[in-house]
Amino acid sequence: MPEPIRTEPQEPDEPDVHVTLSTASVFPRRVPLAFESAAELGYDGIEVMIWSEEVTQNPRALAKLAADNGVPVRSVHAPTLLVSQRVWGRSPVAKLERTTEMALELGAGTVVVHPPFRWQYKYARQFQDQVRQLSESTGVTIAVENMYPWRGGRREFQAYLPGWDPAEHDYDAVTLDLSHASVAQQDALTLLHTFGDRLRHVHLADGNHGARDEHLVPGRGKMHAEKVLQELVARRWSGDVCVEISTRAARSAAERHDDLAASLQFARAYLSPTPHEFHTPPGAHHRPHDAW
């Protein structure tokens, strides 16, 4: 009788799309809670938003949190927000270099960066070249995020150079943020098609096309986030979909937990090869704040 054929057990395939959690999603609570929540709920990883909280600037502390919770850092957001203008000094060029170094140290494959502000005109002149050179020399994907015009009353302000819309510029890699697209009153599916192969990273949230950057739980706004996720599946896109919501209005730890859980369930439902409908439960009254 012939010997039975023995086969080695196969490791499960890595998912094409990882669903990660931005540390900004638990603000004003601290970064350790983001790691703990991601581990408890089953997120695939973390995106670290670098800002004034000291642990976000410390790769050793972040590596320990990742190891202790079994949740890797998969992306890092450079400190290029208004609220992080003084983090790591005033030179945006040096900030982006240091962020990329941190990504390498943590094993994160992506750095998310905003385009320069209008008053950073020297930085803006070399921004595209710096992004391309850093990405080529390090192997880290540096994905420039879509922003929006600032509005006050009936006036509109162009706050970014060379512009707020990456679709109009020749970046090699871009991040699609659905909340930012909502403020810009852009259709997210149209942006996805316009970005094409340059789309490397997605910030999953929602919005109602108002003038404020809301970062709602997906399904609580008008951006049809489910269609965006289903289109990513249809394209066989690979990358990270990072949940970047605001839970600042949460009245309790339970409300915050429920919002993080609902966002992950939404993402899993519509990123499945056989998607199923998911109705996001209503949440607490939302108070929008400044942009991330």
Side-chain angles (χ1 to χ4, degrees):
M1 186 173 181
E3 289 288 324
I5 298 174
R6 299 184 183 276
T7 58
E8 293 295 323
Q10 298 295 311
E11 292 291 329
D13 291 338
E14 278 282 300
D16 290 333
V17 180
H18 294 82
V19 183
T20 64
L21 179 65
S22 169
T23 57
S25 296
V26 303
F27 182 81
R29 294 294 300 277
R30 300 298 185 180
V31 163
L33 178 64
F35 280 88
E36 293 164 9
S37 299
E40 178 186 352
L41 294 170
Y43 279 86
D44 298 321
I46 283 285
E47 176 169 301
V48 174
M49 174 75 79
I50 301 173
W51 53 20
S52 57
E53 187 178 350
E54 288 187 7
V55 70
T56 68
Q57 305 170 36
N58 186 331
R60 290 186 180 180
L62 291 168
K64 187 175 188 307
L65 284 169
D68 289 348
N69 291 279
V71 180
V73 176
R74 292 189 54 85
S75 55
V76 182
H77 196 306
T80 49
L81 287 68
L82 279 175
V83 296
S84 56
Q85 287 294 287
R86 296 192 179 186
V87 172
W88 289 348
R90 296 205 175 245
S91 168
V93 173
K95 288 184 184 190
L96 185 51
E97 290 174 348
R98 190 166 173 180
T99 303
T100 306
E101 290 170 2
M102 176 183 279
L104 285 170
E105 191 168 344
L106 292 169
T110 303
V111 165
V112 178
V113 63
H114 290 184
F117 290 111
R118 192 169 192 86
W119 56 86
Q120 297 172 320
Y121 55 92
K122 292 182 180 178
Y123 172 48
R125 283 203 300 264
Q126 59 181 315
F127 176 68
Q128 185 166 312
D129 288 340
Q130 185 200 13
V131 165
R132 180 166 290 140
Q133 290 165 8
L134 263 180
S135 186
E136 289 176 353
S137 64
T138 63
V140 174
T141 297
I142 302 177
V144 181
E145 190 168 2
N146 62 303
M147 298 305 292
Y148 46 81
W150 292 2
R151 299 187 184 95
R154 296 183 179 180
R155 298 185 62 189
E156 193 170 279
F157 304 90
Q158 300 303 322
Y160 300 96
L161 284 177
W164 56 265
D165 186 357
E168 299 177 355
H169 305 282
D170 188 28
Y171 303 120
D172 294 331
V174 297
T175 294
L176 170 59
D177 185 300
L178 299 190
S179 181
H180 295 176
S182 172
V183 182
Q185 299 180 358
Q186 293 177 299
D187 178 77
L189 268 179
T190 300
L191 273 182
L192 190 155
H193 289 297
T194 301
F195 290 159
D197 292 340
R198 298 190 299 150
L199 179 66
R200 303 296 179 82
H201 197 71
V202 174
H203 279 166
L204 178 61
D206 217 326
N208 288 306
H209 303 298
R212 302 298 295 272
D213 188 19
E214 296 176 283
H215 284 275
L216 299 175
V217 171
R220 291 184 186 159
K222 300 176 180 177
M223 291 304 293
H224 301 293
E226 72 282 355
K227 294 182 180 179
V228 172
L229 299 183
Q230 288 176 311
E231 179 62 21
L232 294 177
V233 174
R235 288 176 170 218
R236 298 185 178 180
W237 182 82
S238 61
D240 286 4
V241 169
C242 176
V243 169
E244 193 186 57
I245 62 170
S246 173
T247 60
R248 288 176 251 196
R251 294 168 295 189
S252 67
E255 277 189 359
R256 180 178 294 106
H257 179 277
D258 289 347
D259 283 353
L260 299 178
S263 299
L264 178 61
Q265 290 168 342
F266 184 100
R268 298 284 193 219
Y270 293 108
L271 286 170
S272 169
T274 53
H276 59 276
E277 194 169 4
F278 177 78
H279 296 286
T280 305
H285 177 66
H286 183 78
R287 301 189 301 273
H289 291 257
D290 290 335
W292 287 339

